[in-house]
Amino acid sequence: MTRKTSPAPDPQPAPEKDRKAQKAEAKAEQAVAKAEQVTARAAAKAQQTEARAEAKAEQSAARAAAKAQQTEAKAEAKAEQAAARAVVKAQQSEARAAVKAQQSEVKAEQAAVKAAVKAQQSEARAAAKAQQAAARAAVKARRAEARAQAKARRADRRKGRRKIPAARWIVPGAVLAGALAGGAYGILRTPQYTATSYVVIVPTDRADAAAALGFATAYGRVASQVAVVGDAQVWAGVSARTLRASVRTSTSPDAPMISVTATSPRPSTAVNMANGVARSLVVNGNQMQESTNVRVVQFSRAVRPTAPSSPSAPLAALVGGCGGGLLGGLALLIRPKRRPEGIHAPVPGPSTGGSHQAAPNQPGANQVAGHAAPNQPVSAPPQPETV
């Protein structure tokens, strides 16, 4: 910096001029110092402003880089989560497909079992219908025979044949006695209740339906022994002797099913015995699954019976009456019979000269195809006496 020269002062004394000059120089120096301080402060402020701007720029760049990294991390995390969800969904889809396949197999097995049961029921109904038809035919035959016998008795009465009055009361008395005995038996006997449980043999992947059918027959035969050895008596609350006497099993030749039927004076005991034996079969069969390659499944539990299975008093009376009537008829058949009077068997006439023609005006002459000769009495065969 260049100092400005002041104009020439007025002539004054020398000492005063020096003082003023010194003061002016001091002021000038102070102004220069202040100017330098202002310049330094401005430079410092400029440097601070630049440093702050650089720091802010660096912070902005660091924040942008951090945000970019966070965005990338979030994108990677979202991609990993999406991949994990896709894997989980695929696994769930496979599990659902497997469950549906198992359910389809179970439904198919149940449908097969139901079809077998329906077939058995149809066979049983057909057999029952055949028996009913046979019984009806027998009843019709008996009625026809009774009508024929009634006609024969009427014919005998017309001819004046003597009969025993007591024979007509044998069958009615026997029927009445049988009905009374059957009714008393039905009333005095303790009613029995029956409950049935079903067990199905299901083949595994290493077995076939024929093996399951064979094991069903085998399990049906040893069901009583398995029940006694297992916990069936504990579950049923009865002794082994009662189980053997009250439980019976049956198998089907067409389906691998075992029916366990229990009979008891108490409905709850019958249900417990049937379910206990079925449960013993299931437990024992599943323990041997590795060696037999079949599974034993309880198809249906026993239902508490609401009515007794033993015959009622009217049915017992009806059966007793039928039995009494049968015994009365047998008594009529085996009792001694009297030969009716005035009835003679036909006697063929003597043959002459080796001729096969009967002599005229003799019994048996001109009898061809069951026709008697003229002017000869017709001899009828004896009729059996029945009621």
Side-chain angles (χ1 to χ4, degrees):
M1 293 179 63
T2 59
R3 296 182 181 179
K4 293 181 180 182
T5 58
S6 59
D10 294 335
Q12 291 179 356
E16 291 179 0
K17 289 181 180 181
D18 293 335
R19 290 177 183 176
K20 288 180 180 182
Q22 291 176 358
K23 287 181 181 180
E25 289 178 1
K27 287 180 180 180
E29 290 177 359
Q30 289 177 358
V32 171
K34 285 182 180 181
E36 291 178 354
Q37 288 178 358
V38 170
T39 304
R41 288 177 183 174
K45 285 183 180 180
Q47 291 178 358
Q48 289 177 358
T49 303
E50 291 179 0
R52 289 175 183 175
E54 291 178 357
K56 287 182 179 181
E58 291 177 356
Q59 290 178 357
S60 299
R63 289 175 184 174
K67 286 183 179 180
Q69 291 178 357
Q70 290 178 357
T71 305
E72 292 179 359
K74 289 180 180 179
E76 292 178 356
K78 287 183 179 179
E80 292 178 355
Q81 290 178 358
R85 289 175 184 174
V87 172
V88 171
K89 286 183 179 179
Q91 292 177 354
Q92 290 178 353
S93 301
E94 292 179 357
R96 290 175 184 173
V99 171
K100 287 183 179 179
Q102 292 179 356
Q103 291 178 354
S104 301
E105 292 178 359
V106 172
K107 288 181 180 179
E109 293 175 357
Q110 291 178 354
V113 172
K114 288 180 181 178
V117 171
K118 287 183 178 179
Q120 292 179 356
Q121 291 177 353
S122 300
E123 292 179 358
R125 290 174 184 173
K129 288 182 180 179
Q131 291 178 357
Q132 291 177 357
R136 290 175 184 173
V139 170
K140 289 183 179 179
R142 290 176 184 174
R143 289 179 181 176
E145 186 179 357
R147 291 174 185 173
Q149 292 173 359
K151 288 181 180 179
R153 286 197 302 271
R154 291 173 186 173
D156 291 341
R157 288 175 184 175
R158 291 173 183 174
K159 292 179 181 179
R161 186 176 63 175
R162 186 177 63 183
K163 293 190 176 184
I164 301 174
R168 68 182 67 181
W169 300 106
I170 294 178
V171 175
V175 171
L176 180 60
L180 292 175
Y185 175 78
I187 293 174
L188 297 177
R189 184 185 178 186
T190 303
Q192 300 290 324
Y193 295 87
T194 302
T196 304
S197 178
Y198 295 93
V199 176
V200 179
I201 310 300
V202 181
T204 59
D205 297 335
R206 294 178 295 176
D208 54 358
L213 189 61
F215 279 109
T217 305
Y219 280 128
R221 292 178 180 177
V222 300
S224 59
Q225 298 178 3
V226 172
V228 171
V229 173
D231 297 332
Q233 21 185 346
V234 178
W235 295 327
V238 296
S239 61
R241 183 176 180 181
T242 305
L243 275 179
R244 289 177 179 174
S246 303
V247 178
R248 65 182 184 275
T249 58
S250 61
T251 58
S252 173
D254 300 326
M257 176 180 287
I258 304 171
S259 62
V260 181
T261 304
T263 305
S264 176
R266 293 183 177 181
S268 58
T269 305
V271 172
N272 292 335
M273 286 193 294
N275 289 333
V277 174
R279 188 175 178 183
S280 295
L281 282 176
V282 171
V283 172
N284 185 73
N286 291 333
Q287 288 177 355
M288 301 177 63
Q289 180 178 351
E290 295 182 358
S291 58
T292 58
N293 294 327
V294 293
R295 292 188 297 109
V296 184
V297 181
Q298 189 169 5
F299 182 71
S300 66
R301 296 176 61 85
V303 180
R304 182 184 179 89
T306 57
S309 59
S310 57
S312 59
L315 181 59
L318 180 60
V319 174
C322 293
L326 180 60
L327 292 177
L330 292 176
L332 283 178
L333 290 176
I334 63 176
R335 74 184 183 88
K337 302 178 182 178
R338 289 187 178 182
R339 188 176 185 84
E341 298 178 359
I343 297 178
H344 303 281
V347 180
S351 59
T352 57
S355 175
H356 296 283
Q357 296 179 356
N361 300 326
Q362 290 185 359
N366 297 330
Q367 293 181 354
V368 180
H371 297 282
N375 300 326
Q376 294 293 331
V378 179
S379 56
Q383 298 290 336
E385 296 182 2
T386 56
V387 178

